[in-house]
């Protein structure tokens, strides 16, 4: 079996260009990556300092943190899970690797929405499985539906869902999640639910797939809502009878999650006031961008119900989103992500902007983008 070729993450090349511009003395606003510009909660950082001064640390998986995550699911979703179902991981990315490798076999077909996060298809391909990317447009709010999954022939072995989604920010309503769970039970389709953006919603609340399908596999992380991207800590929730396999894969592939991050994360889970303040900033940033979009001429966007992204159609200006983002960055200092990262077919017509930066940065980005897009539309006329 030959090695699989995975697609590059083109936003990394945009970020590299942004870094070079900063070295040259240019002012750059980083809206290309989906990471909070804020740091971990203050109390979590203080706890990390305490641990650094007092402990040598080592390979470790925190039972108190697992118990606290279980409490979170009971309080937030009314779902009862056992600590043995939780595998602490080095972020959501390894959690996805564990979910796929411990559940499926080479050759299995895994369905996913297109557009979707680049790591979904890349991980599936790297593990010698087959990604089935299903085009999802505004008529389904860029999400897979129960009807879509029911119509697939043959049924795939698994499906990856994301709500809120990257790059669109769309949320799957509770009734649709329930219907998807029913179809998947009837057809024997295993569900991986990526819930990394839970806690970041601006319309309806986020619902866990575990509320509708107890056998679902859930991926989550401290990177987004908890503002701890650089701490590299996430978790995987597996069905009780499959959890030991996930733990075995974790130990073989990654040993354990970072010890220091686990100490800090336990404290971060009780820093809700500070964390909700971050969500308030994202909400304001979202409002500012939505108000500015008409002036930018960007009328076709995915509904940003959650997460912190605007996914916008720029097809009347370009059919090469990577070149478009590079030119935009060079001219304005505003870094954005090309749609081809999320959709290798139609993404050449889209860009993604992250609003997980400070509000002054959003205001400055708008000041720079308005005249640039005015000039672009004039040239395209």
């Amino acid at each position: 079996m030959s090695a699989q070729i995975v697609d590059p993450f083109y936003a990394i090349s945009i970020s590299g260009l942004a870094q070079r511009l900063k070295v040259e003395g240019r002012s750059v606003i980083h809206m290309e990556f989906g990471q909070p510009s804020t740091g971990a909660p203050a109390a979590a950082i203080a706890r990390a300092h305490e641990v650094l001064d007092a402990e040598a640390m080592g390979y470790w998986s925190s039972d108190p943190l697992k118990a606290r995550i279980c409490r979170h699911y009971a309080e937030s979703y009314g779902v009862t899970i056992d600590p043995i179902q939780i595998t602490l991981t080095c972020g959501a990315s390894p959690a996805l690797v564990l979910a796929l490798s411990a559940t499926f076999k080479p050759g299995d077909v895994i369905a996913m929405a297109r557009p979707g996060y680049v790591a979904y298809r890349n991980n599936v391909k790297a593990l010698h499985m087959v990604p089935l990317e299903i085009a999802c447009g505004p008529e389904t709010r860029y999400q897979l539906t129960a009807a879509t999954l029911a119509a697939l022939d043959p049924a795939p072995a698994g499906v990856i869902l994301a709500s809120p989604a990257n790059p669109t920010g769309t949320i799957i309503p509770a009734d649709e999640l329930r219907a998807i769970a029913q179809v998947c039970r009837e057809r024997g389709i295993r569900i991986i639910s990526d819930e990394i953006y839970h806690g970041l919603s601006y319309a309806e609340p986020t619902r866990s797939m575990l509320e509708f399908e107890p056998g679902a596999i859930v991926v989550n992380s401290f990177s987004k809502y908890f503002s701890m991207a650089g701490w590299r800590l996430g978790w995987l929730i597996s069905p009780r009878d499959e959890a030991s396999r996930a733990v075995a894969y974790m130990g073989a592939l990654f040993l354990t999650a970072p010890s220091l991050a686990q100490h800090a994360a336990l404290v971060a889970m009780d820093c809700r006031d500070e964390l909700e303040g971050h969500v308030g900033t994202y909400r304001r940033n979202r409002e500012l961008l939505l108000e500015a979009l008409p002036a930018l001429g960007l009328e076709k966007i995915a509904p940003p119900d959650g997460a912190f992204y605007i996914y916008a159609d720029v097809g009347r200006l370009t059919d090469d989103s990577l070149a478009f983002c590079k030119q935009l960055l060079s001219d304005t200092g505003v870094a954005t992500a090309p749609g081809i990262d999320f959709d290798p077919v139609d993404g050449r017509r889209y860009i993604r902007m992250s609003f997980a930066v400070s509000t002054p940065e959003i205001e400055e980005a708008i000041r720079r983008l308005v005249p640039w897009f005015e000039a672009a539309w004039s040239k395209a006329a």
Side-chain angles (χ1 to χ4, degrees):
M1 186 177 293
S2 61
Q4 297 297 297
I5 298 175
V6 299
D7 303 309
F9 196 175
Y10 293 103
I12 293 176
S13 66
I14 297 294
S15 183
L17 175 58
Q19 295 299 334
R20 290 193 294 275
L21 291 177
K22 288 182 74 172
V23 170
E24 294 171 5
R26 293 279 303 278
S27 169
V28 172
I29 300 173
H30 288 281
M31 300 173 68
E32 76 274 31
F33 284 151
Q35 60 182 15
S37 59
T38 52
I45 294 173
R47 175 58 181 154
H49 281 292
E50 292 174 359
V51 173
L52 280 171
D53 291 338
E55 297 184 22
M57 293 180 286
Y59 303 130
W60 178 57
S61 186
S62 170
D63 288 334
L65 181 55
K66 293 178 186 177
R68 181 64 184 85
I69 292 172
C70 290
R71 194 180 111 204
H72 165 67
Y73 278 83
E75 294 173 348
S76 299
Y77 309 110
V79 169
T80 300
I81 58 173
D82 191 285
I84 66 169
Q85 294 176 248
I86 297 174
T87 306
L88 298 174
T89 64
C90 311
S93 296
L96 179 61
V97 171
L98 296 182
L100 290 166
S101 58
T103 308
F104 303 102
K105 65 183 184 300
D108 278 349
V109 175
I110 312 298
M112 61 197 71
R114 176 171 63 77
Y117 182 43
V118 61
Y120 299 155
R121 67 176 182 270
N122 277 346
N123 275 287
V124 167
K125 288 164 64 176
L127 293 168
H128 297 276
M129 300 164 193
V130 181
L132 175 59
E133 293 189 283
I134 301 169
C136 297
E139 67 282 355
T140 63
R141 303 180 79 257
Y142 301 90
Q143 289 278 10
L144 292 174
T145 65
T148 302
L149 293 171
L152 295 178
D153 186 21
V159 61
I160 299 174
L161 302 172
S163 175
N166 178 9
T168 61
T170 55
I171 291 175
I172 303 175
D175 288 348
E176 191 65 40
L177 286 174
R178 184 178 292 107
I180 289 172
Q182 179 65 29
V183 167
C184 288
R185 277 194 298 272
E186 293 172 352
R187 307 200 71 196
I189 303 170
R190 295 299 306 276
I191 299 172
I192 297 177
S193 182
D194 182 353
E195 301 180 359
I196 191 172
Y197 293 102
H198 274 216
L200 302 174
S201 62
Y202 315 103
E204 60 187 293
T206 47
R207 303 288 294 271
S208 175
M209 180 52 82
L210 292 173
E211 299 177 60
F212 310 101
E213 176 47 69
I217 302 161
V218 170
V219 170
N220 211 323
S221 170
F222 287 90
S223 292
K224 309 301 184 181
Y225 175 77
F226 294 98
S227 198
M228 297 178 65
W231 298 73
R232 307 313 306 134
L233 182 62
W235 70 86
L236 179 72
I237 300 177
S238 306
R240 183 185 293 267
D241 60 349
E242 300 175 13
S244 61
R245 189 158 65 248
V247 171
Y249 271 82
M250 177 65 192
L253 295 175
F254 307 107
L255 289 179
T256 65
S259 295
L260 186 64
Q262 294 179 64
H263 284 289
L266 181 58
V267 174
M269 293 197 76
D270 292 314
C271 295
R272 295 290 171 165
D273 288 346
E274 185 175 346
L275 296 169
E276 286 300 311
H278 297 167
V279 178
T281 297
Y282 307 148
R283 181 176 290 107
R284 177 57 179 155
N285 292 350
R286 172 182 176 272
E287 292 170 354
L288 289 170
L289 281 173
L290 291 178
E291 291 169 3
L293 288 175
L296 301 180
L298 303 180
E299 300 171 354
K300 297 180 180 179
I301 67 164
D305 306 323
F308 31 54
Y309 303 119
I310 298 290
Y311 193 61
D313 186 342
V314 292
R316 289 191 294 149
L317 294 174
T318 187
D319 62 357
D320 185 346
S321 58
L322 179 59
F324 184 87
C325 289
K326 288 180 177 178
Q327 191 63 56
L328 177 63
L329 172 58
S330 295
D331 292 347
T332 69
V334 178
T336 58
I340 53 171
D341 268 338
F342 315 102
D343 184 341
V345 179
D346 298 317
R348 57 192 174 80
R349 298 171 51 89
Y350 288 82
I351 64 170
R352 189 198 72 178
M353 294 182 281
S354 168
F355 51 85
V357 295
S358 70
T359 298
E361 286 177 302
I362 289 291
E363 293 169 337
E364 175 60 24
I366 292 170
R367 280 192 288 271
R368 299 180 189 183
L369 292 176
V370 167
W372 190 89
F373 272 94
E374 286 178 348
W377 287 115
S378 295
K379 292 178 183 177

